[in-house]
Amino acid sequence: MEKRDDGEYELAFENVSFRYPGSAQYVLKNVSCRLDMKRKMAVVGRNGAGKTTFIKLLCGLYEPTEGRITLNGVDIRKYKPEEYRDLFGVVFQDFRLFSFPVWENVTAGYERDDGRLWKALRQAGAKELVKQMPEGPETLLYKDTGEGVEISGGEAQKLGIARALYKDAALIILDEPTAALDPLAEAEVYARFDEMTEGKTSIYISHRMSSCRFCDDIMVFDDGRIAERGSHESLLAAKGLYSQLWNAQAKYYA
Ligand code: ADP
């Protein structure tokens, strides 16, 4: 696979349909789209619309049942899986940390480089957290295998983000944590997202409408299809599904 320092990759879905193995029901239906690099994208839609599944296919964790996904015009099945996956730094909602030292949780099998480690921790907003741990990055997490430290959901999220950033991948994907963070920690994640993703392509899977405003290219999923796509302003003006969902949620937050 061609490694590019300029991050200029072209990813596209071509008529992709998908059923989970053993299931008769299509979760994605004839999805076609191109992902423009160096942009802040968001994927929104109701629960179960297919957002997370779309991302899992994009990352190569599942293969399309029909259609294909291409990178620079070539079917992603033709690339070596480990090389293809190196393109993505992802934090899914159900990410896991392990009862290992902090540094191992962040480097996750890649070679340790302390400069890179602290940079990732700083960008993820976890530098102070790790600095004040008893043994800094050598500190064991959790108490399952020894005398480790317990951390909150928000702190775990930051370390999960640091792990994604440590890879220094071209695309950063963040599945919005809906439960783990309190509103303040959540606001901090949005504020940092800009800094974290500078010069990279980012995709934010948004489970709340209020949180995709800061993205410049929003894809609205509905029942396994991309129903609409555009900027926040253009989608509101179109008065379609996005504006319906936006107005419905705005009522709760007004
Ligand atoms: P969203 O992220 O928009 O909430 P998902 O992509 O998680 O939606 O889910 C889309 C549909 O796929 C849902 O109907 C969900 O129940 C189904 N689904 C998700 N994961 C699996 C799985 N591992 N096996 C079978 N069905 C699944």
Side-chain angles (χ1 to χ4, degrees), residues 20-21 23 25 27 45-54 62 175 205 207 221:
Y20 278 97
S23 162
Q25 190 198 349
V27 172
R46 295 186 185 91
N47 273 345
K51 303 180 290 293
T52 307
T53 304
F54 173 77
Y62 291 99
D175 198 347
I205 310 174
H207 300 272
F221 273 75

Side-chain angles (χ1 to χ4, degrees), residues 127-151:
K127 187 174 155 193
E128 294 310 315
L129 166 74
V130 174
K131 265 184 141 172
Q132 53 85 35
M133 285 181 175
E135 293 169 71
E138 318 301 323
T139 309
L140 184 69
L141 287 188
Y142 308 123
K143 296 192 190 298
D144 319 60
T145 57
E147 276 307 295
V149 297
E150 295 295 335
I151 53 174

Side-chain angles (χ1 to χ4, degrees), residues 9 26 29 61 79 82 88 100 107 113-114 124 126 128-129 139 146 156 158 168 181-182 186 203 231 235:
Y9 296 96
Y26 277 93
K29 298 164 188 164
L61 299 179
Y79 296 96
E82 57 277 18
F88 302 93
F100 296 151
T107 60
D113 172 328
D114 280 4
E128 294 310 315
L129 166 74
T139 309
K158 288 179 178 176
D168 200 20
L181 299 190
D182 59 54
E186 190 189 294
I203 306 181
S231 66
L235 290 171

Side-chain angles (χ1 to χ4, degrees), residues 145-202:
T145 57
E147 276 307 295
V149 297
E150 295 295 335
I151 53 174
S152 72
E155 291 166 342
Q157 169 78 17
K158 288 179 178 176
L159 294 179
I161 293 174
R163 174 162 67 197
L165 295 174
Y166 188 83
K167 277 182 88 174
D168 200 20
L171 275 101
I172 295 290
I173 301 176
L174 186 58
D175 198 347
E176 178 173 59
T178 47
L181 299 190
D182 59 54
L184 272 181
E186 190 189 294
E188 198 189 325
V189 171
Y190 302 156
R192 290 197 168 278
F193 198 59
D194 257 353
E195 187 193 335
M196 280 162 17
T197 58
E198 209 188 319
K200 295 180 188 291
T201 304
S202 64

